[in-house]
Amino acid sequence: MGLREQTMRTVYEVSGRHDEPDLYGGPPGDPGLCGGPTSVSWEVNGDLGAVATAGVAAIVLEILHPSVVAGVQDHSNYRRDPFRRARTTMGYVLGTTFGNTAAATRLIDGVRNRHATVSGARPDGHAYRALDPKLLAWVHTCIPWMVMTAFERFNRPLTPAERDRYLAEQAVIGRMSGADAVPESIAELTEFVAEMRPKLAVTEQTRTFIDFLLTAPFLPPLPGPLDAAAHHFYVRAGMTLAPEWARKMTGLELPSPLHPWATGAYLQGNARMIRWASEVPPHVALATQRFGSTAHDAALNAVAHGNAPG
């Protein structure tokens, strides 16, 4: 098995293939929810390296809200199936961006229906429910925020207008999920994060989830203490995409000498390797086939931007 095939087998094992024709194919010319091949979302979320690399930071930011982590601890089976959340999150991001309009809408409705029964009380007695519009806004925002950050760091800088367009396109998905006040620009994102920060905390449940991340089988096992060191580096490197306050809050900081190496060599190398190995991901190929040859070629060229491993 060659390097390209081995790389993608590892990615698919963790994140799934996402190659369903019924979701990504569909009526000719259907732009889906985010605007089709000319959208910023198709370029950014079409970079599988950026989406995959953003995962750790996005998940940790989400569970910094005590109500979110309480729902995860009370209703999730992440310990029995550690890759399930990665597969479903990746599927949601890709399906809602590249899926045809009807199928992407069904995907969102399905997630809302499953979350309708997710409710309970946090250890501090505060009631929570998964369909709380403010919680949905936070969970939604963490994903495009970190994917955009990874794309800009490991692919190309976006213009201010492109950043705003990307957030506005992704906000459609957040609103359809039931979220309120979803940021549609960098200015609104900055304001929203500042509003949410006083509500975030590291609770015992948060620490339990982070401890799981630091031992989960995301990496090939290594002998003895090397295994723990590799997992700690993997999670802390992923958190370099998150803002400094989140790294300090969670204690997931790297020593200063390792920070440039983690971002410049390890994460960038992973992102570029995945982008190279995936070539044109199956969901992108299926989705762009809805648009005829001209749009199809333009979309593939955008996704292939920087498509080399070294």
Side-chain angles (χ1 to χ4, degrees):
M1 180 181 296
L3 178 59
R4 176 171 271 142
E5 292 77 12
Q6 182 62 52
T7 300
M8 291 314 300
R9 189 169 85 167
T10 301
V11 171
Y12 290 149
E13 180 182 358
V14 175
S15 303
R17 287 190 59 88
H18 311 295
D19 56 359
E20 305 93 323
D22 290 346
L23 173 56
Y24 297 107
D30 182 349
L33 301 178
C34 292
T38 61
S39 68
V40 181
S41 288
W42 274 45
E43 181 182 359
V44 173
N45 291 0
D47 181 353
L48 200 56
V51 178
T53 306
V56 168
I59 289 173
V60 172
L61 285 169
E62 288 176 10
I63 58 99
L64 281 180
H65 196 297
S67 293
V68 174
V69 76
V72 170
Q73 297 289 9
D74 293 347
H75 298 274
S76 172
N77 66 346
Y78 69 87
R79 289 187 178 278
R80 292 191 300 275
D81 186 359
F83 297 148
R84 182 175 181 274
R85 186 173 183 86
R87 289 193 300 268
T88 55
T89 300
M90 181 77 84
Y92 191 79
V93 171
L94 301 181
T96 53
T97 299
F98 293 96
N100 65 69
T101 302
T105 301
R106 286 195 299 270
L107 178 60
I108 294 171
D109 291 344
V111 171
R112 288 189 66 180
N113 291 339
R114 288 194 295 276
H115 284 168
T117 59
V118 175
S119 61
R122 299 179 343 200
D124 63 3
H126 190 285
Y128 71 81
R129 61 188 183 93
L131 294 186
D132 181 315
K134 187 63 72 176
L135 285 186
L136 288 171
W138 176 247
V139 171
H140 163 81
T141 296
C142 290
I143 297 172
W145 179 20
M146 289 299 100
V147 172
M148 179 173 62
T149 301
F151 181 86
E152 290 205 84
R153 192 169 294 180
F154 306 129
N155 194 319
R156 72 169 182 88
L158 298 171
T159 67
E162 287 175 326
R163 294 186 193 109
D164 288 351
R165 276 185 58 200
Y166 175 69
L167 291 173
E169 291 163 2
Q170 292 292 301
V172 172
I173 298 165
R175 288 193 298 270
M176 290 177 66
S177 73
D180 66 357
V182 182
E184 296 189 41
S185 66
I186 290 294
E188 290 181 5
L189 173 63
T190 302
E191 182 179 344
F192 178 68
V193 173
E195 174 192 348
M196 294 299 295
R197 277 189 62 182
K199 301 177 175 65
L200 307 180
V202 174
T203 66
E204 184 176 347
Q205 288 184 318
T206 318
R207 183 55 59 193
T208 297
F209 189 90
I210 290 174
D211 288 345
F212 167 77
L213 283 181
L214 293 171
T215 58
F218 297 121
L219 300 171
L222 296 172
L226 290 177
D227 191 67
H231 278 79
H232 278 247
F233 178 78
Y234 169 77
V235 174
R236 285 173 166 80
M239 280 297 289
T240 60
L241 292 170
E244 183 180 13
W245 59 260
R247 300 196 301 271
K248 289 183 177 298
M249 180 182 291
T250 57
L252 294 174
E253 292 188 285
L254 281 170
S256 297
L258 289 179
H259 196 284
W261 190 88
T263 58
Y266 176 71
L267 286 184
Q268 186 174 64
N270 277 356
R272 295 185 72 178
M273 180 64 73
I274 293 171
R275 191 185 312 129
W276 166 76
S278 63
E279 299 183 279
V280 179
H283 55 277
V284 175
L286 286 167
T288 53
Q289 286 171 10
R290 302 197 307 259
F291 289 87
S293 59
T294 302
H296 180 262
D297 292 344
L300 298 193
N301 287 336
V303 171
H305 182 85
N307 187 15

